[in-house]
Amino acid sequence: MDRIQQALTKIFERHRIVFWYDTKKELRQDFESLDFTDIEKIELNNNAFMVKHRILREQPDQKFLLYHEGEQPQDLENWLLDVQLAQGEFRTDQVSIWLSELGLGLEFADVIQSHIEFFNSGKRREALKKLLKPDDTPGMIRMKILSVCASSGPRIDEVLESLLEELADGRPAEQKDEKIRLIERSSLSDFLWDQLKRHYSYDSGTTGVKDFVIELFKSCYAMGTDGNVRLNSDALVFLRRWKDSRQYERAFETLSHQCAEILGIEQDLQSRDFKQLVELDYFQLIDKKILSSLIKSVSDRTISTGDVALLARQRRQSHWYNDFRGLYNAVEYASLFLSTLDEISISINSMAEGIQSYSRVWYKIDQLYRKFLFHVRKSGQISLMNPLIELVENLYTNKYLLKINDNWQQVVDSITQWEASPVESQRRFFKKWVDPFLSNNKKVFVIISDALRFEIGEELLGLIRKEDRYEAKIDPALSMLPSYTQLGMAALLPNKELSVAEDDSATAFVDGHSSMGTANRNKILSQSVSQAATAIQAKDLLQLNKDDCRQLIKEHDVVYVYHNRIDKTGDTRDSEERVFEAAEETLQDVIKLIKKLTAANANNLLVTSDHGFVYQDKPIDDSDFVDAEPVGSQILFRDRRFILGKGLVDQAGLRKFTSKEVNLAGDIEIQIPKSINRLRLKGSGSRYVHGGASLQEV
C-alpha cells in the first residue's frame, strides 16, 4: 500500500491526471484505502463523458486519479484515450512500479526487464535514481546501472578503474570480485565488453577483467616500443589517467608488477637501449633498466653531464620516480662530480691563495661528494650504486682530498704564523663582522652551527637566496688551530686573548675565562659588550612563541644562537656515517632559525661555524694513520687530528706549532698529523674528523 501511494505521488509530480487500470481486479481495496489531500479519486465505470467534462471543463486545475477495475478499453472504444495519452498512467506490475519509482517512462521497461536482478535491491535502485537525468537514453541508463554495480562514476573509464581496483585486491578469491559478479548476475556482462570494444577496441575470445588489463599493459608498452598493438590510442589515454590517479595508484602498481611478470618485461628490456625508454613508465622495471644503464654510462664516461641532467629531469614525470628519486639525484651528482673534478687544477703557493681557490672552486668537489653520498643513502638501494660509489670514493680520496691537502700541507709546513691575510682570522670574527653593526646602533644576531663547513655554508647561501626575502653573501675565514669546537667557539666571542687549559680537558679560555657551555659564553658576551647581549641554544629559540621571541630581540642588541647537529652526529662513532644526513637537516634548521628571527623583526644576521671537518665514507686504510705515537715532556690532550702538550718531540708525519704561532697565549704546543692523516685513538670514529689543518677543516 505504501509503495503504491509513493509511486502515485511520484507520477503526480509530473501529471495532473493519472489513469490506473486494475487489470487483474485485485487492487480495489488498495484504491479505496488511498488517502490524498490534494488528489481526487474517481472510478471509471461507464461514466467517461461525465468524467471528461469534469476533469477538463469543471475542474481544470484539480488533480485526479482515475481508477478502472479491469482491462483498458480498446482504443476505438476509449472515450478518454486523448486525455490518457496526454497525461500519466499507473501500472501495478513490478516493472511498472520500478519505472514509476525511478521517474522513468514506459519506453524504458525493456531496460529494467533485461536487468531484473539489479532492480531487486532497493539500495541499488536508490543509487541509480540519484544518477538519472531527464534526457537519459537506454544506453546511458545501462551505463549508470553498470556504474552502480561497480561503485564508480557513470563513465566507462571510471567503471574500469573500480573493477581493476577490485582485481588488485589482495583478499582471498572467495571474498573478491563482488562487483564483477554483480555485473554478471545483472546481465550486464555483454554490455560491459561491448563498451570496452567500442572505447578501446578490446576484442578477445577470453573476455575478462584480468585478460583486459594484460592486453592493456601489453598494447601500451608495444606502442612505445615495437610490439604488436591490439588496443587503440584511447586505451593509452586510459592507462595514463589510471596510473596518475591518487585514488587508484596502488591498484595500478599491483597489476603493473603482475603483468610485467606475465609479459616477460624484464627479459624484453635487456635488449633495449635505455634512451628509447625515457618516455615510458608503465612498469617499475623500466626505471631500474634506465638507472642501471645510466650508472654504467656515467661510470664508463660515455654520457655527458648535460645528457644525465636532461634524462633525470625527464624521469621526474615517471610514476615510479619517488621510488628512485634518491638514485636519480645520486647519479646526477656523481656525473657532476666527475666532470667538475676533471676541470679543476690544483696549485697552491700561499695560505691566502689556497683558501681563495678553495672558497671559489674546489669546495664544489666536497659539496658534490656529500650530495652524492647523501642521496645514495637516502635511496636505500646502495647495492645498485656500488660501481659509482667505488669510483667516486676512490677519485675523491686519491685524486682530490689527498692531493689537495698534500699540496696545502707544503704551504702549512713553510709558514711561521697561522694566518692567511687578506683572509680574516676566525678570532677577529666579532671585531670584523659583529662590531660594525653595534657601532652603528644596529642589532645583530649570530647563528653558530657546529661543523658547518664552507661548502655547506655555500649551499645554505643558495637556499637563503631562494627564499626571495633576503639578501645574502658569503666570505671565507681561517679557523683557529687546532680546529676543534672549544677553541673555535671561544674565537667567535669578543676577545683580546685566547688560551687553552694546561690539563686534559682542552678547555678554551677567553681573556682568562672558560668558554665552555652556553652559560659561560653568555657571561663573556655580557661582560665584553656595552650593549645588551645574550646567548641561547637553537632548540630553545625555536621553542619560543612569537611574543617571547619578539621580546628577546627587543631586549638585546646582540644574540648568539648555538646550533649543534653535524658535530654531534659526526663525533660519535656509531652515528658518524649519518653526518651528511645531519648536514641536510642542519640546512633546514638554520633556515628555520633565520625565519624565526626575521619574523620577530631581526634584520641583520650572521651565520658562521667553529670549524669544518673531513669525512670519507669508506673505512680508513691503515696507510692513512700516522705510525708515530705522541712523545713529549707532557701530553695533555690527544684526538684523531691533534695533540696538545709541552716539550713535544718532532716526528715524521706530524707538524708542530707553538702557541705563539697559532695566536694563543701560554706555552702549550700543538702537533697536527699532516695532510688528512689520523692519529690512532681507541674507541673513537675515524671517518669523520676535525682538529687538523686541512682546507676542509679550517
Side-chain angles (χ1 to χ4, degrees):
M1 175 61 192
D2 287 344
R3 192 168 64 174
I4 291 175
Q5 181 140 346
Q6 288 173 5
L8 283 166
T9 301
K10 194 69 180 176
I11 297 174
F12 274 110
E13 289 177 2
R14 292 178 286 121
H15 300 288
R16 182 174 73 87
I17 302 167
V18 175
F19 289 78
W20 179 4
Y21 294 103
D22 185 5
T23 307
K24 296 181 180 180
K25 301 182 179 181
E26 59 187 14
L27 298 173
R28 170 175 289 280
Q29 187 176 348
D30 291 318
F31 168 71
E32 291 174 350
S33 300
L34 288 171
D35 183 22
F36 296 106
T37 57
D38 59 343
I39 299 169
E40 191 169 331
K41 299 187 297 181
I42 298 177
E43 182 176 355
L44 296 175
N45 187 10
N46 297 319
N47 55 352
F49 287 115
M50 179 193 75
V51 170
K52 191 169 190 177
H53 185 269
R54 180 179 175 187
I55 64 177
L56 297 182
R57 295 302 181 103
E58 293 179 5
Q59 295 175 273
D61 299 320
Q62 175 64 38
K63 291 182 178 181
F64 291 97
L65 173 61
L66 307 182
Y67 171 83
H68 174 69
E69 187 176 56
E71 296 279 351
Q72 177 179 329
Q74 295 296 318
D75 288 353
L76 290 175
E77 299 173 4
N78 188 354
W79 301 105
L80 291 170
L81 180 63
D82 57 336
V83 180
Q84 183 177 328
L85 292 174
Q87 295 293 325
E89 184 179 350
F90 174 59
R91 295 192 178 191
T92 53
D93 62 277
Q94 189 63 71
V95 170
S96 298
I97 290 174
W98 286 339
L99 284 170
S100 177
E101 181 183 330
L102 295 168
L104 294 172
L106 290 173
E107 66 271 24
F108 295 104
D110 286 346
V111 175
I112 292 183
Q113 193 67 52
S114 300
H115 310 293
I116 286 291
E117 174 64 24
F118 174 86
F119 290 95
N120 279 331
S121 164
K123 187 176 180 181
R124 290 196 291 268
R125 293 197 304 273
E126 188 62 33
L128 175 63
K129 186 176 177 182
K130 292 176 181 177
L131 299 175
L132 295 177
K133 293 183 178 179
D135 57 350
D136 279 340
T137 64
M140 293 165 70
I141 291 177
R142 280 192 169 90
M143 177 56 70
K144 290 176 179 180
I145 295 171
L146 184 65
S147 74
V148 172
C149 292
S151 302
S152 71
R155 295 201 321 256
I156 188 61
D157 53 353
E158 294 174 312
V159 168
L160 200 47
E161 285 172 336
S162 183
L163 295 178
L164 291 174
E165 182 181 42
E166 182 176 68
L167 180 65
D169 192 341
R171 292 183 299 168
E174 61 273 11
Q175 298 176 18
K176 288 177 58 175
D177 304 330
E178 295 172 359
K179 297 172 183 176
I180 196 67
R181 285 204 298 265
L182 177 57
I183 289 170
E184 290 168 354
R185 293 201 315 272
S186 300
S187 303
L188 282 163
S189 296
D190 289 346
F191 179 76
L192 171 63
W193 306 129
D194 181 65
Q195 291 298 306
L196 293 185
K197 182 177 181 180
R198 187 160 69 87
H199 284 84
Y200 307 121
S201 300
Y202 173 65
D203 190 8
S204 172
T206 55
T207 53
V209 180
K210 183 66 177 283
D211 183 73
F212 172 79
V213 79
I214 293 170
E215 188 55 53
L216 177 68
F217 277 106
K218 183 179 179 181
S219 286
C220 291
Y221 179 67
M223 289 177 198
T225 52
D226 52 7
N228 181 28
V229 180
R230 290 176 57 192
L231 303 186
N232 60 26
S233 58
D234 284 342
L236 181 60
V237 172
F238 168 76
L239 180 63
R240 287 174 174 168
R241 166 195 156 96
W242 178 40
K243 75 179 175 63
D244 293 337
S245 164
R246 287 283 187 120
Q247 184 178 356
Y248 297 112
E249 64 179 345
R250 285 183 179 273
F252 166 78
E253 291 168 4
T254 298
L255 295 174
S256 171
H257 295 323
Q258 291 176 8
C259 291
E261 188 172 348
I262 292 167
L263 297 170
I265 298 300
E266 186 170 11
Q267 293 75 17
D268 183 82
L269 287 170
Q270 289 175 3
S271 60
R272 297 195 181 277
D273 182 347
F274 75 99
K275 294 178 182 177
Q276 297 173 348
L277 303 169
V278 175
E279 301 296 327
L280 306 183
D281 68 340
Y282 314 132
F283 305 105
Q284 190 184 56
L285 289 168
I286 293 174
D287 278 280
K288 290 184 176 180
K289 164 69 177 181
I290 290 173
L291 277 163
S292 60
S293 300
L294 198 54
I295 289 166
K296 187 176 188 308
S297 297
V298 172
S299 299
D300 295 343
R301 310 291 188 94
T302 56
I303 187 170
S304 70
T305 299
D307 285 344
V308 173
L310 178 62
L311 195 147
R313 189 160 54 248
Q314 287 174 303
R315 290 311 290 174
R316 287 175 193 164
Q317 307 305 315
S318 163
H319 176 86
W320 313 95
Y321 180 73
N322 285 335
D323 295 347
F324 300 103
R325 181 192 300 269
L327 291 178
Y328 280 114
N329 286 334
V331 173
E332 194 170 356
Y333 279 116
S335 179
L336 278 168
F337 171 89
L338 296 174
S339 62
T340 306
L341 187 59
D342 285 342
E343 293 169 2
I344 70 167
S345 60
I346 297 171
S347 174
I348 309 173
N349 297 307
S350 68
M351 292 277 287
E353 182 187 349
I355 292 171
Q356 287 166 350
S357 294
Y358 182 82
S359 62
R360 290 170 185 165
V361 179
W362 299 339
Y363 76 87
K364 293 177 184 176
I365 302 299
D366 291 302
Q367 192 177 79
L368 292 169
Y369 173 74
R370 171 174 61 82
K371 301 295 283 187
F372 167 71
L373 283 177
F374 167 75
H375 286 291
V376 167
R377 288 191 178 280
K378 192 175 181 182
S379 75
Q381 302 181 63
I382 295 175
S383 58
L384 191 63
M385 293 292 290
N386 272 336
L388 262 184
I389 293 172
E390 190 172 343
L391 175 65
V392 169
E393 190 69 47
N394 288 335
L395 287 173
Y396 177 74
T397 299
N398 299 314
K399 191 177 177 182
Y400 170 71
L401 187 63
L402 189 59
K403 184 177 179 181
I404 200 172
N405 282 300
D406 282 351
N407 286 8
W408 171 248
Q409 187 63 46
Q410 293 177 26
V411 174
V412 172
D413 286 344
S414 70
I415 62 171
T416 57
Q417 196 67 34
W418 183 250
E419 57 187 28
S421 181
V423 178
E424 283 292 351
S425 169
Q426 184 184 43
R427 67 170 301 169
R428 283 179 46 81
F429 170 78
F430 192 90
K431 193 175 189 66
K432 168 71 178 178
W433 282 288
V434 180
D435 223 15
F437 287 106
L438 299 178
S439 298
N440 287 304
N441 294 318
K442 293 181 179 179
K443 294 175 181 284
V444 61
F445 304 87
V446 180
I447 299 170
I448 302 170
S449 185
D450 205 327
L452 186 82
R453 68 182 183 182
F454 184 87
E455 57 90 3
I456 303 173
E458 196 280 337
E459 184 177 356
L460 175 65
L461 177 71
L463 293 175
I464 292 170
R465 287 175 171 170
K466 276 183 184 177
E467 288 294 323
D468 233 14
R469 295 167 52 197
Y470 313 113
E471 293 180 3
K473 65 174 185 174
I474 188 169
D475 291 313
L478 178 66
S479 82
M480 296 297 293
L481 203 65
S483 54
Y484 71 108
T485 299
Q486 282 294 313
L487 186 54
M489 291 297 185
L492 294 171
L493 294 164
N495 66 84
K496 296 175 183 175
E497 179 184 273
L498 299 174
S499 59
V500 176
E502 295 186 10
D503 56 29
D504 62 358
S505 69
T507 300
F509 290 87
V510 175
D511 302 332
H513 301 287
S514 170
S515 63
M516 182 177 285
T518 308
N520 283 328
R521 294 168 195 166
N522 188 17
K523 188 175 180 181
I524 292 168
L525 264 176
S526 300
Q527 292 177 347
S528 304
V529 179
S530 59
Q531 296 93 333
T534 192
I536 186 172
Q537 286 290 322
K539 58 182 176 56
D540 296 330
L541 175 64
L542 289 172
Q543 289 176 358
L544 293 179
N545 62 38
K546 191 172 184 180
D547 290 339
D548 288 342
C549 191
R550 285 179 180 272
Q551 194 64 27
L552 174 76
I553 290 169
K554 182 179 179 181
E555 292 176 354
H556 297 92
D557 299 295
V558 57
V559 177
Y560 271 44
V561 181
Y562 290 98
H563 175 269
N564 183 13
R565 188 184 291 274
I566 297 173
D567 208 46
K568 185 178 181 181
T569 304
D571 263 343
T572 305
R573 182 173 61 179
D574 292 340
S575 63
E576 65 175 346
E577 67 178 18
R578 286 191 62 256
V579 71
F580 287 166
E581 186 177 334
E584 293 287 330
E585 292 166 356
T586 291
L587 289 168
Q588 299 309 312
D589 288 348
V590 176
I591 291 292
K592 286 179 187 175
L593 289 167
I594 290 170
K595 289 182 176 180
K596 180 88 172 181
L597 289 166
T598 54
N601 296 329
N603 295 314
N604 307 304
L605 285 80
L606 299 168
V607 181
T608 190
S609 187
D610 49 351
H611 57 76
F613 63 88
V614 171
Y615 178 79
Q616 293 163 267
D617 197 53
K618 71 175 184 178
I620 305 302
D621 294 333
D622 273 349
S623 60
D624 292 325
F625 288 92
V626 176
D627 289 331
E629 283 291 314
V631 178
S633 58
Q634 192 176 13
I635 306 299
L636 298 170
F637 184 88
R638 62 176 294 178
D639 199 27
R640 286 288 189 192
R641 289 285 287 158
F642 70 97
I643 302 159
L644 299 177
K646 293 186 178 182
L648 298 178
V649 177
D650 289 331
Q651 297 189 70
L654 298 175
R655 167 67 157 94
K656 186 171 77 171
F657 292 89
T658 64
S659 291
K660 184 178 179 182
E661 288 173 332
V662 294
N663 300 302
L664 291 175
D667 57 358
I668 284 180
E669 294 174 330
I670 301 103
Q671 277 186 329
I672 309 288
K674 292 188 176 184
S675 188
I676 59 168
N677 291 326
R678 279 85 158 160
L679 291 161
R680 297 185 187 277
L681 190 65
K682 190 174 181 180
S684 69
S686 58
R687 289 185 286 171
Y688 170 92
V689 292
H690 62 88
S694 73
L695 279 165
Q696 287 74 16
E697 293 168 288
V698 302

